[in-house]
């Protein structure tokens, strides 16, 4: 799925951030605080031999079936995702950090694409995403100017809506006064309405 989303990029790196890995370990191994602490340190150090040693040792003395099952889930999770847990600084990449981009940077896109129950066609979503990426990368103005032969807006007419409204002259409105005429008895519907006012 990530490869299909990569688009024109020839390389992508999937990275599980430390917060979620540690949260998973803490949630599953709440029954053994010492194991939690040691395993978290081993994962932070990216030491798989130490992780295996800890898991094997604890598995040898656990007796409760529920605890053994949780330990097995942690082992499977770490084994399955070990290559994605490797810190960016330990990978042969031109960047050494930046997982926060995945965590907080997406809000710029999701706030525009998902809020208020918006629906998109595939082409519309791709167009909007391309537009947002160019704005985010600071390339929109250059790309826009390169594709439009004549500027649509000149600098002279660029002004805020509030400034334009202040310049406009408005006529004062008057509210006409009215009365409800009563051409019948006070017991009629119009008579009762008139007495209310």
């Amino acid at each position: 799925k990530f490869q299909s989303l990569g688009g024109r990029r020839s390389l992508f790196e999937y990275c599980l951030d430390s917060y979620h890995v540690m949260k998973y370990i803490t949630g599953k191994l709440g029954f053994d605080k010492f194991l939690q602490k040691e395993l978290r340190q081993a994962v932070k150090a990216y030491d798989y031999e130490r992780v295996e040693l800890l898991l094997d040792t604890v598995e040898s003395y656990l007796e409760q079936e529920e605890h053994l099952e949780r330990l097995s889930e942690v082992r499977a999770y770490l084994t399955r995702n070990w290559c994605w847990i490797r810190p960016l600084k330990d990978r042969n990449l031109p960047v050494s950090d930046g997982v926060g981009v995945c965590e907080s940077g997406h809000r710029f896109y999701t706030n525009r694409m998902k809020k208020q129950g918006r629906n998109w066609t595939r082409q519309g979503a791709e167009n909007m995403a391309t537009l947002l990426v160019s704005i985010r990368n600071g390339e929109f103005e250059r790309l826009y100017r390169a594709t439009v032969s004549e500027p649509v807006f000149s600098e002279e007419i660029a002004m805020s809506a509030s400034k334009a409204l202040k310049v406009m002259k408005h006529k004062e409105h008057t509210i006409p006064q009215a009365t409800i005429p009563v051409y019948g008895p006070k017991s009629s519907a119009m008579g009762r309405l008139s007495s209310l006012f």
Side-chain angles (χ1 to χ4, degrees):
K1 287 182 181 179
F2 279 101
Q3 284 174 336
S4 67
L5 292 172
R8 288 168 246 151
R9 303 288 179 204
S10 58
L11 172 70
F12 74 93
E13 284 287 325
Y14 181 64
C15 185
L16 283 172
D17 67 297
S18 177
Y19 170 79
H20 290 103
V21 175
M22 298 308 152
K23 184 177 176 185
Y24 183 85
I25 292 170
T26 303
K28 289 290 183 182
L29 303 178
F31 59 87
D32 190 334
K33 300 295 182 191
F34 176 77
L35 173 60
Q36 259 185 19
K37 180 184 172 194
E38 292 295 315
L39 191 59
R40 287 166 59 118
Q41 287 176 353
V43 170
K44 280 183 184 176
Y46 200 66
D47 184 354
Y48 193 70
E49 288 180 12
R50 175 93 175 122
V51 168
E52 281 190 318
L53 179 65
L54 282 165
L55 294 174
D56 289 343
T57 304
V58 172
E59 187 177 21
S60 69
Y61 68 75
L62 283 179
E63 294 177 0
Q64 291 186 19
E65 193 63 38
E66 180 189 349
H67 294 171
L68 283 167
E69 187 177 321
R70 286 181 172 199
L71 189 72
S72 176
E73 289 171 1
V74 170
R75 182 190 298 273
Y77 173 81
L78 292 175
T79 303
R80 182 176 62 247
N81 294 302
W82 190 251
C83 61
W84 310 122
I85 294 172
R86 178 190 294 266
L88 284 177
K89 65 178 190 257
D90 293 343
R91 301 182 191 193
N92 188 18
L93 296 171
V95 293
S96 59
D97 59 1
V99 176
V101 170
C102 299
E103 289 296 312
S104 60
H106 62 49
R107 288 186 189 94
F108 176 78
Y109 305 97
T110 57
N111 284 345
R112 179 62 183 91
M113 302 286 286
K114 291 171 57 176
K115 291 273 180 167
Q116 302 165 351
R118 290 186 177 103
N119 293 312
W120 299 91
T121 63
R122 182 181 178 94
Q123 185 63 45
E126 286 177 3
N127 291 343
M128 181 55 69
T130 302
L131 176 68
L132 293 172
V133 167
S134 68
I135 291 170
R136 189 66 172 221
N137 292 337
E139 298 173 337
F140 174 75
E141 189 69 25
R142 181 183 58 79
L143 293 171
Y144 173 74
R145 297 287 177 211
T147 56
V148 176
S149 57
E150 293 180 22
V152 177
F153 301 109
S154 67
E155 298 298 327
E156 294 83 40
I157 62 168
M159 71 168 31
S160 68
S162 61
K163 194 173 182 182
L165 289 172
K166 287 177 186 174
V167 172
M168 293 175 65
K169 301 285 185 200
H170 296 285
K171 287 194 309 183
E172 286 195 24
H173 298 286
T174 57
I175 300 172
Q177 298 294 318
T179 60
I180 300 173
V182 180
Y183 300 116
K186 294 271 186 193
S187 60
S188 70
M190 287 303 291
R192 286 194 298 272
L193 181 62
S194 176
S195 65
L196 289 173
F197 294 110

